[in-house]
């Protein structure tokens, strides 16, 4: 009994000391400095020593809202170089939080020009500028990508000038403000300076979007296909033959139909009907993965993106008995593929 009382009084003393300490300016300052250093420094989890092909989901949702998730964004790291495929709304918040080293970001690649794939381009422009970009931001995309970047340049011209005047030419030179937009073409490799890396865009059908692409990325024997937004017409399946990882968008007709039944506005009901005809269903995504013999299927841009485990379970029902090796991504899902073996490691970046 005496021992118990001693332990309790010791614990109470520690608790009181803790309470008093946390209100001490010295203690607060020390804790704060450690926290601030963690926010602003370090490139981990990027640029580790092992030579790998990595995929990080920097935005897992479709335009239908799902709190805590960003719109479409897939980061690919090949060795030390980083390429970012799409930058939907919220994805830049994630990339800043993940402490992406912008000098290592070699280009942004856009699958198509729906807003949920391009909205955060201006934030990428600012972040890369602040971190010492020495040329306009490279953006690869479909026909018309130059109009998108020109539009952003016009909209942000005053912002460029304000920041240049405030921080100076050495810090934010106007000579590198803006974008270098390059149109991609079906089945034509994208030039890059990363040893061992091939990026192959291929046209997909996302009608009425008149130009939409998926990408196949190969790095020293490891392979990834990113579907972008598309119907299932056999194209993604063709390019996905035997790849390590297929990152595929998917719609649940079941869930979208249930949402239509309870939609409070006729406009929402119509949109939920219209979107069904230009996306791949979750069942089709499973069939594509199975028939093209991919090692792992990673679902992103889920429509709707599940908000809880029941919704997730209903979303995944059609794929349950079709294909085993799949996962439904979240923001921060990371897939690591070392180049010297066939391993596929899936974890989270945060
Ligand atoms: Zn989309
Ligand atoms: Zn789209």
């Amino acid at each position: 009994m005496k021992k118990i009382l001693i332990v309790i009084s010791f614990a109470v003393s520690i608790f009181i000391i803790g309470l008093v300490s946390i209100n001490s300016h010295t203690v607060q300052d020390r804790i704060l400095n450690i926290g601030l250093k963690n926010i602003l420094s370090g490139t981990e989890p990027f640029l580790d020593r092992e030579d790998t092909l990595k995929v990080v989901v920097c935005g897992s949702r479709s335009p239908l809202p799902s709190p805590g998730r960003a719109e479409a964004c897939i980061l690919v790291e090949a060795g030390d170089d980083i390429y970012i495929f799409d930058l939907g709304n919220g994805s830049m918040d994630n990339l800043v939080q993940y402490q992406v080293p912008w000098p290592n970001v070699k280009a942004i690649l856009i699958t198509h020009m729906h807003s949920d794939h391009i909205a955060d381009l201006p934030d990428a422009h600012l972040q890369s500028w602040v971190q010492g970009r020495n040329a306009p931001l490279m953006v690869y995309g479909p026909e018309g990508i130059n109009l998108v970047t020109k539009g952003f340049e016009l909209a942000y011209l005053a912002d460029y000038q304000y920041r240049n005047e405030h921080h100076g030419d050495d810090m934010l030179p106007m000579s590198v403000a803006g974008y270098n937009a390059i149109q991609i073409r079906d089945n034509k490799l994208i030039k890059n300076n990363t040893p061992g890396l091939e990026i192959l865009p291929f046209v997909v059908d996302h009608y009425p979007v008149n130009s939409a692409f998926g990408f196949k990325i190969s790095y020293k024997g490891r392979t990834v296909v990113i579907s972008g937004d598309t119907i299932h017409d056999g194209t993604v399946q063709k390019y996905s033959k035997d790849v390590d990882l297929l990152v595929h968008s998917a719609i649940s007709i079941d869930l979208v139909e249930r949402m239509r039944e309870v939609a409070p506005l006729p406009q929402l009901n119509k949109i939920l009907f219209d979107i069904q005809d230009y996306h791949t269903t979750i069942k089709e995504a499973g069939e594509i993965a199975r028939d093209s013999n991919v090692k792992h299927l990673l679902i992103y841009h889920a429509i709707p993106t599940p908000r809880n485990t029941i919704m997730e379970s209903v979303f995944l029902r059609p794929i349950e008995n079709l294909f085993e090796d799949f996962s439904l991504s979240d923001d921060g899902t990371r897939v690591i593929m070392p180049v010297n073996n066939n391993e596929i490691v899936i974890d989270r970046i945060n």
Side-chain angles (χ1 to χ4, degrees), residues 61-63 72 112 114 116-117 206 228-229 279 301 303:
R61 79 167 168 93
S62 58
H112 64 294
H114 266 146
D116 57 312
H117 297 252
H206 189 39
D229 290 4
H279 289 291
H301 194 286
I303 310 168

Side-chain angles (χ1 to χ4, degrees), residues 71-91:
E71 291 174 341
C73 177
I74 302 292
L75 179 150
V76 173
E77 187 188 3
D80 285 346
D81 292 347
I82 292 171
Y83 297 81
I84 298 170
F85 296 77
D86 291 334
L87 278 166
N89 183 25
S91 57

Side-chain angles (χ1 to χ4, degrees), residues 106-110 113 118 121 125 133 135-153 160 176-185 190-191:
K106 301 304 170 193
I108 311 295
L109 301 99
I110 300 296
M113 292 169 316
I118 60 170
L121 261 174
H125 178 279
R133 178 163 44 73
L137 183 62
M138 291 283 283
V139 180
Y140 292 89
E143 186 182 354
I145 189 67
N146 58 326
L147 297 178
V148 169
T149 55
K150 274 198 170 71
F152 279 137
E153 283 170 353
Y160 300 162
V176 301
Y179 304 82
N180 182 7
I182 297 172
Q183 188 183 329
I184 55 180
R185 294 180 195 281
I190 291 174
K191 279 189 192 143

Side-chain angles (χ1 to χ4, degrees), residues 236-275:
V236 174
Q237 186 169 319
K238 185 177 100 183
Y239 283 91
S240 301
K241 186 94 187 90
D242 299 324
V243 297
D244 290 304
L245 182 69
L246 171 59
V247 184
H248 211 306
S249 56
I251 186 170
S252 163
I253 301 296
D254 182 2
L255 281 176
V256 170
E257 278 296 304
R258 289 172 198 243
M259 288 171 83
R260 276 185 72 209
E261 281 170 28
V262 295
L265 297 169
Q267 297 93 324
L268 186 56
N269 184 302
K270 172 158 171 51
I271 287 170
L272 289 168
F273 175 76
D274 290 346
I275 59 175

